[in-house]
Amino acid sequence: GHKLTTNPAAYDLYLRARAVRDFVTATGSLLERVPQEIELLSKAVALDPDFAMAHALLAEAHGLMYFIPELDPTPERARLMKASVDAALRSGAGLPETRMAVGAYHFRVEQDYARALLEFKAAAESLPSDEWTFHWLGYTHRRLGQWPESRANFEKVILVNPRGPVGYFFLADTLHATRRYQEEQEILQRALRFSPDLDNLLRRLAAARVELDGDWATYLRSMQSLELPAEPRTRILVSFQLAVSARDFVRANAILQAAGNHGGLAVWH
């Protein structure tokens, strides 16, 4: 097997799919964009069935569809992910991208985070400056409750790609979960220098600030000034947070009742 492809059209489709993935991660626009990524990669592997890196990326895309509750958490989607992992193993078993796809399968489908971590660490040895390897390591350490390691890897994402919003967003998430709100605010302000109009970052910044100053009126104004997210689960969650912040508990309850268990939000009931 081979890492890349001798088919220029397949490689072009692969590059376009990578661009879609980066956009999805930065903006959270999963609903229409992840199927678009899958379509591009499916065409790429149809043109070159031995294109291991495309199979590996396709596995990760199927994994995201399976992992997000309102997308496609079905046995068939898990099977599609496994089929793409197996295809990557057949044509490029030794590739770090394949190790990442295997790790993603253990993370997304098996929920075996310790095994996933082994795969991501193996991939990182061959991809010492790949932001996605650090992203997966940070994400997996976080699942295992290993907060300092998670933070260190998200910081590496920023070192590798200081202009991209993804590392900042996940580092901010980790800082928020560990109640390091001042550091979170500083990280988000850095990110916004490169992506000043990214609503995901602006929402996170408002959330960090209100934890620091307790000024709920300013928080509410900041949140209301942003468009509601298009992605359904995030839209419901943001609408719910706005209602609670405004102390409109009747509306907050109505949002939850209408949502049902949409995207796993039943926990708020």
Side-chain angles (χ1 to χ4, degrees):
H2 48 279
K3 184 172 183 174
L4 291 174
T5 177
T6 53
N7 186 309
Y11 189 59
D12 180 62
L13 288 160
Y14 170 76
L15 290 178
R16 285 166 59 195
R18 280 183 55 151
V20 171
R21 177 189 62 174
D22 292 348
F23 179 82
V24 163
T25 310
T27 61
S29 55
L30 300 167
L31 215 55
E32 66 277 0
R33 295 290 183 158
V34 182
Q36 183 186 348
E37 182 187 353
I38 288 170
E39 184 183 354
L40 291 166
L41 291 164
S42 298
K43 288 177 180 175
V45 298
L47 289 171
D48 181 357
D50 291 326
F51 191 178
M53 286 172 64
H55 283 297
L57 197 60
L58 181 55
E60 289 192 43
H62 281 309
L64 192 56
M65 290 289 289
Y66 177 81
F67 189 70
I68 302 296
E70 71 273 22
L71 291 183
D72 189 26
T74 61
E76 173 61 13
R77 185 63 65 176
R79 190 195 66 73
L80 287 168
M81 184 183 190
K82 183 68 163 60
S84 292
V85 169
D86 290 344
L89 285 166
R90 279 195 301 274
S91 52
L95 296 177
E97 291 83 1
T98 299
R99 298 297 296 264
M100 283 171 67
V102 173
Y105 182 78
H106 288 301
F107 187 105
R108 300 288 199 202
V109 177
E110 303 288 345
Q111 296 181 350
D112 183 346
Y113 304 118
R115 176 72 191 277
L117 189 62
L118 291 175
E119 296 293 338
F120 296 139
K121 283 181 173 178
E125 288 175 13
S126 302
L127 294 170
S129 59
D130 180 78
E131 67 175 291
W132 283 98
T133 315
F134 295 134
H135 170 269
W136 271 118
L137 283 167
Y139 202 20
T140 310
H141 278 299
R142 196 164 77 183
R143 283 280 167 152
L144 290 165
Q146 297 163 351
W147 297 99
E149 294 89 344
S150 175
R151 175 178 179 164
N153 278 286
F154 288 133
E155 285 172 344
K156 287 177 185 174
V157 175
I158 294 169
L159 279 174
V160 171
N161 185 5
R163 300 185 71 86
V166 176
Y168 295 101
F169 187 80
F170 281 99
L171 177 55
D173 237 14
T174 300
L175 292 169
H176 197 89
T178 50
R179 301 186 178 189
R180 302 175 83 98
Y181 304 122
Q182 185 62 46
E183 290 172 76
E184 180 189 10
Q185 179 174 262
E186 289 162 9
I187 281 292
L188 289 164
Q189 285 167 337
R190 276 175 61 193
L192 284 161
R193 289 209 298 271
F194 301 114
S195 308
D197 302 319
L198 206 54
D199 286 359
N200 273 357
L201 294 173
L202 292 165
R203 280 192 202 93
R204 287 250 53 125
L205 182 60
R209 281 181 172 156
V210 77
E211 294 289 355
L212 289 167
D213 62 22
D215 184 348
W216 286 94
T218 298
Y219 169 78
L220 196 56
R221 280 197 301 275
S222 299
M223 294 290 278
Q224 287 170 337
S225 71
L226 302 171
E227 278 187 39
L228 283 173
E231 202 255 315
R233 181 170 178 238
T234 313
R235 188 184 189 91
I236 292 164
L237 193 54
V238 169
S239 300
F240 173 73
Q241 289 169 338
L242 280 169
V244 170
S245 304
R247 299 295 186 263
D248 187 347
F249 300 116
V250 173
R251 174 162 169 70
N253 189 55
I255 289 165
L256 288 183
Q257 295 295 340
N261 192 29
H262 191 96
L265 291 172
V267 66
W268 288 101
H269 282 293

